[in-house]
Amino acid sequence: MLKSLWLETAYPRDTYAPPSSDTSCDVCIIGGGLCGVTTAYLLAKAGKKVLLLEKDRILEGASGNTTGKLTTQHDIVYADLIKKFGEESAKLYYKTNDAAIRFAEYIAEGDELRSTHSVLFARTDKGIETLKFEADAYKALGIPFDRRLNWELPISVKETLTLSNQAQLHPVRFGQHIAKLAVAEGVQLCEKSDVRSMDLKEKSLQLSSGIVVTFDELVLCTHYPIEALRGMNILKLEVKRSYLLSAPADMPLQSQYLSVDEPKRSIRTVFIDGRSHFLLGGEDHKAGVTSDTDLHYNRLAEELQSTYYLGEPIHSWSAQDPSTPDLIPYAGPISAAMPYVHICTGFRKWGMTNSIAAAKIVTDQITGQQNPAIALYAPDRTGFGTLLFQALKTTGFVLKEFTGGHIARTNAPICTHMGCRTRWNKGDETWDCPCHGSRFRKDGSVLEGPATRPLNFKNDAH
């Protein structure tokens, strides 16, 4: 498998032992990405006894395979948020994510964070119109912006929309730092701690090792929630995959960039241990629907060389992220029937700010603190019509893949989550499920959920 620049340049790894005996806690967190470790840190600082369980190693999932952009400029979003929620809610979304940036600036050390500008750019007349609507939204919300064309890339553009006072992260080093702070606050952080089963009514779970954990509150920071079927959230999340390359480059950029036209491209540089790297991302598609993922890497690699005159990429990686039907992530109780089971998911590829924001929202809800974003991010906030439409659209795709996959891909192993046929991902050397986004390593072990059990090659023809 390919490995990201962030994972290759992480701090020396600490290891966190799994529980050695049955244990209890105030709050159990499942998932050791940036959202999980930040939630653990904040809850421990608030006086809670916290146990965090990670099935592999912390920060090696979505958090270790991101662009590392820490920004309130989440593509074209504010014009749509005003239309869906009104100006006050759109302004609250901005303020919540801006507060996440300021939190990270306060916590980060060394080269874990760098201040920068975020720039949306248009290369077509249609893109110019898109930027105009978004700039109008910024103006209505009081978001300071700049339309001047201060351009530093070797491609032609027609318009830009810039936000200053934004940031970039080394997401793994930053997450490792927060994990150390969490442990210092008393968090029991456990790796190689795979959850086998849950009894949510009894507030307990069992690990694959047989260890039993009991809790008062449970927070699922597992990207695609294991227990999402309870609140039907599994029908509300659409999963997309995108690709990234990096190459050495003596061209540190002053800003980070995202195109509004197709094909979408994300561009930034990063400075690590005295070396500058150029990052190019894009090639989005629904997770699990293509086998020849090398095509996506190859397109980016060709562009890296022909447009930016750089050499062969040194690092190549990909990530996937669920999206909710209305652009705003879920952070809070999974259903009214079980207010002590929380989810943090649906970051729509903007998980650096939104994972920190979600951690703060869930922490405030558990500790009884006032936070106006609690209602905005609540999993049960959306209207039935919107959910029904998304559920029908997504479920229709899932049902098609379930039946078609078993006919067309009879040699592929069956996903252990809900029985869909997986598809081999040639570029990343993984088995990917197109139904709900589960991913398995070449040996069948689980790489990303919602699946929790490995593939069974013995019973599946492959």
Side-chain angles (χ1 to χ4, degrees), residues 227-236 334-335 379 387:
E227 288 295 304
L229 274 172
R230 181 173 299 281
M232 297 300 285
N233 291 301
I234 206 154
L235 300 181
K236 304 169 191 173
I334 200 165
S335 68
L387 293 180

Side-chain angles (χ1 to χ4, degrees), residues 102-148:
R102 307 313 146 207
F103 168 84
E105 288 175 335
Y106 175 75
I107 292 290
E109 293 182 347
D111 64 0
E112 294 168 359
L113 182 145
R114 173 181 175 268
S115 295
T116 190
H117 312 293
S118 290
V119 181
L120 291 172
F121 66 91
R123 306 186 69 184
T124 66
D125 291 340
K126 182 179 178 182
I128 291 174
E129 284 300 305
T130 300
L131 285 187
K132 180 183 181 301
F133 284 122
E134 190 72 352
D136 289 343
Y138 285 9
K139 188 174 182 179
L141 299 175
I143 300 173
F145 65 93
D146 194 342
R147 296 296 300 275
R148 289 175 294 181

